[in-house]
Amino acid sequence: MKVTYHGHSVLSVVLEDGTRLLFDPFISENPVADIKAEDVETDYILVTHGHSDHVGDMIEIAKKNEATIISIVEICQYAEKKQVQKTHGLNIGGVFDFPFGRVKLTHAQHSSGYEENGEMIYMGEPAGILLQAEGKTIYHAGDTADFSDLALLGEDYQIDLAFLPIGDNFTMGPKEAARAAKRLKPKQAIPIHYNTFELIQQDPTDFTRELPGVGRIMEIGETIEV
Ligand code: NI
Ligand code: MN
């Protein structure tokens, strides 16, 4: 599979059979995104939690592409109310085997609400997403803080790529994210959710320096094949 980083927490994955997945499609309001929301073509949209910098263009992209949204049940219900046709709701700890592979929603220590017309909409619990396809395992941590049970994921899964937020303020900072990576024991750990806004400016080498041979910075627009 090919995994491309589009800035902030946005990832796209293309599988050998051509199936396209998009994680946390915050694109049109994302000052560092290398793609345009209206140009995106995808089959599935996976969303970690309900904050606007993760939900992003979920509704518009889902409708235009007739894509399936995979997320926690409350986010799927929100999408259905917005006339998205295809959703698949999961909850924390649950897995489902899709035609392209297996998706598990994992714990994340964070919050999840979506502000719309001055009201805060409950979007369920925040999550991480574990994707298993073509014999590879990818973990998108969402906006989690570091917590000790991440070690259980490291015990249960051989993670090839772990995408961890390092921006601080809203999530882990680089040092805590490096500690989380040590709990998860992935083959490669990639920092995300930094340098998008003033509040989350970070030097990603503060993360990779703690993880020799494992930490890897992806440039925006860069693709890794695993
Ligand atoms: Ni968030
Ligand atoms: Mn965020």
Side-chain angles (χ1 to χ4, degrees), residues 8-9 24 48-54 110-113 126 142-144 170-171 193:
H8 202 58
S9 297
D24 282 1
T48 59
H49 67 290
H51 288 155
S52 60
D53 62 317
H54 297 262
H110 191 59
S111 64
S112 186
D143 271 0
T144 194
F170 303 112
T171 68
H193 208 275

Side-chain angles (χ1 to χ4, degrees), residues 1-2 7 10 13 42 56 67 70 74-75 84 92 142 149 154 166 175 190 198 204 206 216 223 226:
M1 70 175 78
K2 288 181 179 156
V10 187
V13 175
T42 194
I70 301 171
E74 287 84 357
I75 290 179
V84 169
I92 307 288
D149 277 2
I166 67 156
K175 290 227 160 57
I190 296 141
E198 193 61 39
D206 290 342
R216 184 199 206 280
T223 300
V226 288

Side-chain angles (χ1 to χ4, degrees), residues 6-18:
H6 299 291
H8 202 58
S9 297
V10 187
L11 301 177
S12 60
V13 175
V14 182
L15 303 180
E16 299 287 338
D17 70 359

Side-chain angles (χ1 to χ4, degrees), residues 28-161:
S28 60
E29 301 289 321
N30 178 351
V32 299
D34 67 323
I35 50 176
K36 287 199 163 73
E38 54 267 35
D39 296 339
V40 169
E41 294 184 349
T42 194
D43 302 299
Y44 295 89
I45 303 170
L46 299 90
V47 181
T48 59
H49 67 290
H51 288 155
S52 60
D53 62 317
H54 297 262
V55 168
D57 307 289
M58 170 184 86
I59 299 294
E60 295 76 16
I61 293 172
K63 285 182 181 173
K64 188 171 176 196
N65 289 266
E66 295 178 16
T68 302
I69 294 174
I70 301 171
S71 190
I72 198 145
V73 288
E74 287 84 357
I75 290 179
C76 289
Q77 284 166 5
Y78 170 84
E80 285 162 18
K81 275 196 199 134
K82 301 285 179 185
Q83 279 77 51
V84 169
Q85 296 296 316
K86 293 189 280 184
T87 70
H88 186 111
L90 294 158
N91 214 319
I92 307 288
V95 299
F96 186 78
D97 289 312
F98 292 89
F100 60 83
R102 175 171 285 195
V103 173
K104 178 185 178 81
L105 286 196
T106 69
H107 285 287
Q109 292 288 336
H110 191 59
S111 64
S112 186
Y114 188 74
E115 199 186 330
E116 194 168 63
N117 303 324
E119 290 198 23
M120 189 59 78
I121 300 170
Y122 175 64
M123 294 289 248
E125 294 293 302
I129 297 174
L130 199 79
L131 165 68
Q132 293 182 288
E134 301 173 337
K136 303 292 181 187
T137 301
I138 291 187
Y139 170 61
H140 186 307
D143 271 0
T144 194
D146 181 31
F147 62 104
S148 59
D149 277 2
L150 289 173
L152 298 175
L153 277 184
E155 282 174 26
D156 289 350
Y157 297 92
Q158 287 258 313
I159 299 170
D160 292 283
L161 302 179

Side-chain angles (χ1 to χ4, degrees), residues 191-208:
I192 58 172
H193 208 275
Y194 68 100
N195 293 356
T196 319
F197 314 112
E198 193 61 39
L199 267 175
I200 56 172
Q201 292 294 323
Q202 295 294 338
D203 178 351
T205 63
D206 290 342
F207 172 77
T208 53

